[in-house]
């Protein structure tokens, strides 16, 4: 939840930047990272540069729409040296050290039997520093990581966290890397099977929580015991009390509010879980059914009137590349919602990203062949009467998978044609 996002598009906006002259299915498939320095707002964008350029990061001035710098093509100084392809890991900007941590898929081979680029996948974590210079410094943090880094990178204390996905039922790893020194020591947790895809971690100060494919929610103790078998556990959503056999993959980042953990799953559910400190166990508090598959990290908004607090949780959902929308689950704090608590705000397009909420409006992208960015009122709509009652939208373009980033009055998002949009 933020405040001050635009409810109308200013003159001269949206600005569209074409990051490359060639296009494909993969382009900007994560969320830009934003920063405001001395009143000037910038966006750092990880994208697929295609061909010999490989993965790249560009720094954009949101006011002018101009590039400040970009990393170079493969095998040249200042390059990420990462192969072209889907780059699904949202970077993390550490303002305290001026470091942008970037996870990229650096190698793979094509498997013609499955038509997938999964064979022998390798990934790496890089640190970009000197971000205010004419060109950043690119340093290796961790290389030759097995599998694809497809989750966001997050940082808690001295550690960054991310997960890997090797495809199918093969076991991935979740990493804890100490970035307090350049020795970059790390520990990993490996489940019995399945990997981690879009499933970013959250911390309550003691434990780290993250979901996985095959309907699992894991927790680990942060710090020196992260990899210890006695320092964590798992909640199987398919067999636990209040669970669902069709829970599906957990491909959303976990959102924490107080002692409650919220996330969605591809079985079409919004979940609320909690952790019992005494029993050191996770349990399901409630779940509700959405109108389709969801990979959207829940966005929670509270409104208090007198002694009553209303909770609204916004999530995206989709059914293929043609259908879906945005829904809100509303209930009184302290109670549990039911399926009837879920209402639809916007419909008619697939929404795989997380929903940005600002001052009574929701903002999101659509992952369709005519994908674009939308601003909708968060409540008070009559979908039957007017299913396209949006406040504003950008022009139809192409698949926009990652969500919008916001800072200082600017919204930024990208799509599979490597078009970057800046809205004010």
């Amino acid at each position: 939840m933020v405040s001050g996002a635009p409810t109308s598009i200013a003159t001269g906006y949206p600005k569209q930047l074409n990051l490359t002259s060639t296009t494909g299915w993969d382009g900007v498939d994560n969320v830009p990272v934003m920063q405001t320095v001395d009143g000037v707002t910038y966006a750092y964008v990880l994208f697929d540069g295609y061909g010999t350029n490989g993965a790249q990061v560009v720094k954009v001035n949101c006011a002018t729409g101009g590039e400040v710098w970009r990393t170079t093509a493969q095998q040249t100084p200042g390059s990420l040296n990462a192969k072209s392809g889907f780059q699904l890991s949202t970077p993390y900007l550490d303002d305290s050290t001026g470091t942008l941590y970037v996870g990229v898929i650096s190698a793979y081979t094509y498997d013609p039997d499955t038509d997938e680029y999964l064979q022998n996948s390798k990934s790496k974590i890089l640190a970009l520093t000197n971000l205010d210079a004419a060109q950043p410094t690119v340093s290796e943090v961790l290389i030759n990581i097995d599998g694809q880094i497809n989750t966001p990178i997050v940082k808690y204390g001295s550690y960054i966290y991310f997960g890997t996905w090797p495809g199918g039922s093969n076991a991935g790893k979740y990493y804890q890397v100490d970035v307090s020194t350049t020795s970059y020591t790390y520990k990993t947790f490996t489940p019995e099977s399945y990997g981690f895809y879009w499933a970013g971690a959250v911390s309550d100060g003691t434990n780290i929580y993250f979901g996985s494919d095959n309907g699992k929610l894991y927790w680990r103790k942060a710090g020196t015991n992260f990899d210890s078998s006695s320092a964590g556990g798992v909640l199987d959503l398919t067999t636990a009390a209040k669970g669902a056999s069709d829970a599906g993959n957990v491909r959303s980042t976990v959102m924490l509010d107080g002692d409650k953990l919220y996330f969605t799953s591809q079985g079409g559910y919004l979940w609320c879980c909690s952790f019992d400190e005494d029993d050191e166990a996770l349990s399901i508090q409630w779940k509700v059914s959405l109108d389709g598959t969801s990979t959207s990290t829940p966005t929670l908004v509270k409104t208090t009137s007198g002694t009553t607090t209303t909770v609204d949780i916004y999530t995206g959902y989709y059914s293929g590349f043609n259908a879906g929308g945005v829904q809100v689950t509303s209930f009184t704090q302290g109670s549990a919602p039911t399926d009837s608590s879920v209402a639809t705000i916007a419909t008619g397009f697939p929404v795989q990203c997380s929903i940005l909420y600002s001052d009574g409006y929701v903002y999101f992208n659509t992952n369709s062949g005519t994908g674009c960015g939308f601003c909708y009122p968060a409540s008070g709509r009559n979908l039957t009467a007017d299913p396209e009652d949006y406040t504003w939208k950008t022009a139809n373009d192409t698949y926009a998978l990652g969500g919008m980033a916001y800072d200082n009055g600017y919204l930024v998002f990208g799509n599979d044609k490597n078009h970057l949009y800046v809205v004010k």
Side-chain angles (χ1 to χ4, degrees), residues 383-407:
L383 286 171
T384 302
D386 188 354
E388 295 190 356
D389 187 20
Y390 50 80
T391 303
W392 58 255
K393 68 183 288 290
T394 58
N396 291 347
D397 195 341
T398 196
Y399 302 94
L401 175 66
M404 294 184 182
Y406 172 78
D407 192 23

Side-chain angles (χ1 to χ4, degrees), residues 279-345:
D279 295 336
E280 291 202 330
L282 283 163
S283 62
I284 300 169
Q285 297 301 300
W286 52 259
K287 70 179 185 302
V288 294
S289 297
L290 305 174
D291 282 352
T293 293
S294 185
T295 57
S296 179
T297 299
T299 298
L300 185 147
V301 178
K302 293 182 179 180
T303 305
T304 300
S305 177
T307 59
T308 302
T309 297
T310 300
V311 180
D312 294 318
I313 301 178
Y314 298 91
T315 49
Y317 71 97
Y318 65 100
S319 299
F321 290 119
N322 298 308
V326 177
Q327 295 186 300
V328 59
T329 303
S330 302
F331 57 99
T332 301
Q333 183 169 280
S335 65
T338 63
D339 288 351
S340 63
S341 306
V342 183
T344 300
I345 293 176

Side-chain angles (χ1 to χ4, degrees), residues 142-163:
L142 199 60
I143 63 173
N144 291 322
I145 298 169
D146 289 330
Q148 300 179 0
I149 297 177
N150 290 341
T151 73
I153 299 171
V154 297
K155 184 173 183 285
Y156 294 102
S158 300
Y159 306 106
I160 60 171
Y161 296 89
F162 59 90

